[in-house]
Amino acid sequence: MPKGVEIAGFGAGAQDYFRPIGDVDDDHQPGAKKSTWTDREDRLLQELIAQGCETHVGGNVVNTLAYLACRGSLQPNVRFVSALGHDQASDAIRNELSLLNIHGMTNDSPDYLPSVSIVERRAPGHDRMVKGRPRTPLDAYVSNRQIHQATANADVVIAASLKSIDLTDRVFAQTPDDTVTSYQPGSSEFDDPDALRELMTKYYPNLLALNDDELRQLMGASKDADPFELAAEANRYALNVLCTLGKQGILLSNGHRVLYHPAAEIPPHQVVDTLGAGDRAHAIALDGLLSRKSGHAILSKVAQGTASVIQHVGAHGDLYADAH
């Protein structure tokens, strides 16, 4: 594929706000996630913003697009297709997208609230604690007209964690047949694996990116099922299947043939933050496929790239020096 390709990525934006190391609440356990968002969290968020805390933009599709924009081999024009609101988190997301060379193509509405996480920093290598404000569902905020405008001239369309089979269906339905498609389902899509399988059978994306737990859910397999066999079987739903196995390595399946590469060995004290590692794997695999690299070369680059991102805070900590 020639350089200067047009890439449109569909998904939600998010913003992480980091509390200083040691500034944590006594009533929370390391590694725990607090799913409720209360007035207390709202007040804490406003305090952190007023103090000028460290922040990082996120979201599955943004994490994937950032790598393609900053280190992708094709010098792409990258567009983020989504919705944003009129709140401080939305403003922060807009600002950081520009730093990462990502062009926003968003419907802006005062009713839309992006996801927000308050991250309680601990010493490097230790678990983080996250308090998250759920985002507003995208379905009603991404119109068919917006989808058509984004996909009509796109060489590559990425759908990542849309949390809606219906919205994903609308995106792929308007994507031209000769466009490369890449899909990274989010947790909500796996709530109905039959619908997810039907969607992929209908559109057969060029790349499906997921982890081993998600692969088992997709295939309706038990926890002790062999991910190698499942990845080969999953080629009935996508031309290429990328499956991350955490510390156990990475799989890439094409034509029911599975390639494997071990994960890079990183000393525990150098692992700062694993956030975004799966998205980085997705981005590097897609970039490799677009550049027509061999499967083994792709997996080697995925192992290196995921090792890089987990040694930095946030999903783009190693990319900001590349952005301009």
Side-chain angles (χ1 to χ4, degrees):
M1 183 170 283
K3 295 182 183 295
V5 302
E6 296 284 332
I7 298 178
F10 291 80
Q15 194 70 10
D16 290 343
Y17 295 85
F18 290 81
R19 298 180 71 177
I21 290 178
D23 181 19
V24 298
D25 293 338
D26 293 334
D27 60 339
H28 295 105
Q29 297 299 315
K33 281 192 175 182
K34 185 174 181 180
S35 58
T36 57
W37 187 270
T38 66
D39 290 342
R40 179 189 181 193
E41 275 71 53
D42 267 329
R43 290 193 297 272
L44 175 58
L45 177 60
Q46 293 306 314
E47 291 173 8
L48 292 173
I49 292 173
Q51 294 165 7
C53 69
E54 179 181 1
T55 68
H56 290 280
V57 69
N60 297 86
V61 74
V62 172
N63 298 342
T64 300
L65 293 175
Y67 177 87
L68 295 170
C70 294
R71 289 192 184 170
S73 58
L74 298 172
Q75 300 175 359
N77 177 43
V78 174
R79 288 173 290 168
F80 168 58
V81 188
S82 187
L84 288 172
H86 295 173
D87 63 331
Q88 290 168 302
S90 295
D91 292 340
I93 291 170
R94 291 186 187 93
N95 291 336
E96 290 198 55
L97 289 176
S98 64
L99 292 177
L100 293 166
N101 301 324
I102 299 172
H103 305 291
M105 188 176 178
T106 62
N107 281 340
D108 296 339
S109 168
D111 299 325
Y112 187 86
L113 292 175
S115 174
V116 166
S117 292
I118 296 176
V119 182
E120 299 189 320
R121 296 286 301 279
R122 292 179 178 270
H126 287 225
D127 288 330
R128 306 179 321 150
M129 294 192 296
V130 179
K131 304 172 185 178
R133 181 185 77 184
R135 66 171 171 85
T136 305
L138 277 172
D139 302 61
Y141 293 89
V142 178
S143 67
N144 286 335
R145 185 170 184 268
Q146 182 184 12
I147 293 170
H148 175 73
Q149 290 176 332
T151 60
N153 297 311
D155 300 293
V156 181
V157 168
I158 302 169
S161 192
L162 291 175
K163 298 187 176 181
S164 166
I165 294 291
D166 291 339
L167 179 54
T168 308
D169 194 356
R170 286 200 284 133
V171 169
F172 285 146
Q174 295 196 60
T175 298
D177 291 340
D178 58 350
T179 300
V180 175
T181 54
S182 189
Y183 186 31
Q184 182 184 13
S187 57
S188 297
E189 283 102 318
F190 289 96
D191 291 341
D192 190 348
D194 288 335
L196 183 56
R197 288 189 288 266
E198 182 179 347
L199 179 83
M200 288 187 293
T201 300
K202 182 178 179 180
Y203 296 111
Y204 200 67
N206 295 86
L207 176 63
L208 170 66
L210 68 182
N211 61 38
D212 51 341
D213 285 337
E214 293 167 342
L215 178 62
R216 293 185 182 97
Q217 292 179 66
L218 173 69
M219 305 304 292
S222 62
K223 290 186 177 181
D224 58 354
D226 185 348
F228 286 77
E229 294 180 1
L230 296 179
E233 292 178 22
N235 277 140
R236 75 178 77 166
Y237 301 120
L239 180 61
N240 298 280
V241 176
L242 174 75
C243 181
T244 54
L245 309 174
K247 294 180 181 180
Q248 304 306 312
I250 319 108
L251 305 178
L252 183 64
S253 178
N254 175 279
H256 306 286
R257 174 173 174 261
V258 181
L259 301 179
Y260 168 78
H261 196 284
E265 294 187 12
I266 305 296
H269 69 277
Q270 293 183 18
V271 178
V272 175
D273 186 358
T274 59
L275 183 69
D279 302 324
R280 179 63 58 86
H282 177 197
I284 295 173
L286 177 58
D287 185 68
L289 292 170
L290 295 172
S291 303
R292 304 188 185 281
K293 289 184 170 63
S294 70
H296 288 293
I298 290 172
L299 288 179
S300 176
K301 188 83 178 218
V302 169
Q304 296 170 18
T306 52
S308 173
V309 73
I310 66 175
Q311 295 181 68
H312 297 79
V313 173
H316 322 299
D318 58 341
L319 296 182
Y320 284 107
D322 302 332
H324 55 273

